[in-house]
Amino acid sequence: MKTLGFAILLTALVSPGDQPLRDPVTLQVIAVHATNENHGKSEKVFDSGLENVRKALEGLSFDTFHKLKSTSKTVKPAETADIEIDDTYTLHVTPVAKDSEERFRVSVVIDETIEKDGKKETREALNATCAVVPGKHLVLGGLNMPKGQLVLLLSIAE
């Protein structure tokens, strides 16, 4: 597997000053297949439905962004939302706490199903505790897909 390059833009450990969550939160996840299709240096192509996340994707080194999935899940504090992205990747997100600056701390695990010796096997592709700023998108990437990479955008609303 390639290095996670731009894998996590915001990463932090849960700190002692964090406040436990009391209320459910709504997770919004958008999965994107990012590729390079040689549209030209300054031209980037975005599928319909990616308008709200375009700014978060524009800085990436890809020129084409195909929307794979968009989903929302409401979870209770310390409950894990399991979101199947495709046949290869499954995202597991657990809201953990809120810090003094109102950022949410979430545990993020991405499982990858691979074929090894003729058998399907699941392995952990990513495991991190991240900070999510309300109204912004946490961008996770670096996960291999045919001709490109999987990019996940995660946001949280209370």
Side-chain angles (χ1 to χ4, degrees):
M1 182 178 226
K2 291 183 181 176
T3 307
L4 291 180
F6 62 90
I8 301 174
L9 299 179
L10 297 171
T11 302
L13 298 174
V14 176
S15 71
D18 289 350
Q19 298 297 315
L21 294 176
R22 294 187 185 101
D23 299 317
V25 296
T26 300
L27 305 170
Q28 173 72 34
V29 176
I30 300 172
V32 176
H33 185 193
T35 62
N36 279 312
E37 297 178 15
N38 300 316
H39 293 291
K41 277 190 173 185
S42 61
E43 185 180 354
K44 294 201 178 206
V45 177
F46 297 86
D47 275 358
S48 176
L50 295 177
E51 296 82 12
N52 291 340
V53 295
R54 183 177 177 138
K55 187 175 180 180
L57 295 169
E58 282 181 332
L60 302 180
S61 62
F62 300 97
D63 66 11
T64 306
F65 301 91
H66 298 288
K67 183 177 171 185
L68 299 174
K69 182 175 204 152
S70 178
T71 190
S72 248
K73 281 200 175 187
T74 299
V75 294
K76 296 175 185 171
E79 179 180 276
T80 300
D82 300 315
I83 301 166
E84 186 177 310
I85 303 301
D86 60 12
D87 292 340
T88 303
Y89 295 106
T90 302
L91 173 67
H92 310 281
V93 181
T94 308
V96 177
K98 199 174 199 182
D99 70 15
S100 60
E101 295 179 30
E102 300 298 307
R103 295 175 298 199
F104 289 91
R105 302 276 185 219
V106 294
S107 168
V108 177
V109 176
I110 300 174
D111 288 335
E112 177 182 26
T113 301
I114 60 167
E115 192 167 318
K116 187 175 181 180
D117 300 325
K119 295 180 183 178
K120 288 195 174 193
E121 184 178 293
T122 300
R123 66 182 179 188
E124 201 173 80
L126 178 90
N127 185 337
T129 300
C130 306
V132 181
V133 177
K136 304 275 185 187
H137 290 93
L138 172 69
V139 180
L140 304 165
L143 303 162
N144 292 328
M145 292 191 79
K147 299 181 182 180
Q149 293 185 358
L150 172 65
V151 177
L152 299 173
L153 297 109
L154 171 69
S155 62
I156 293 184
E158 288 182 278

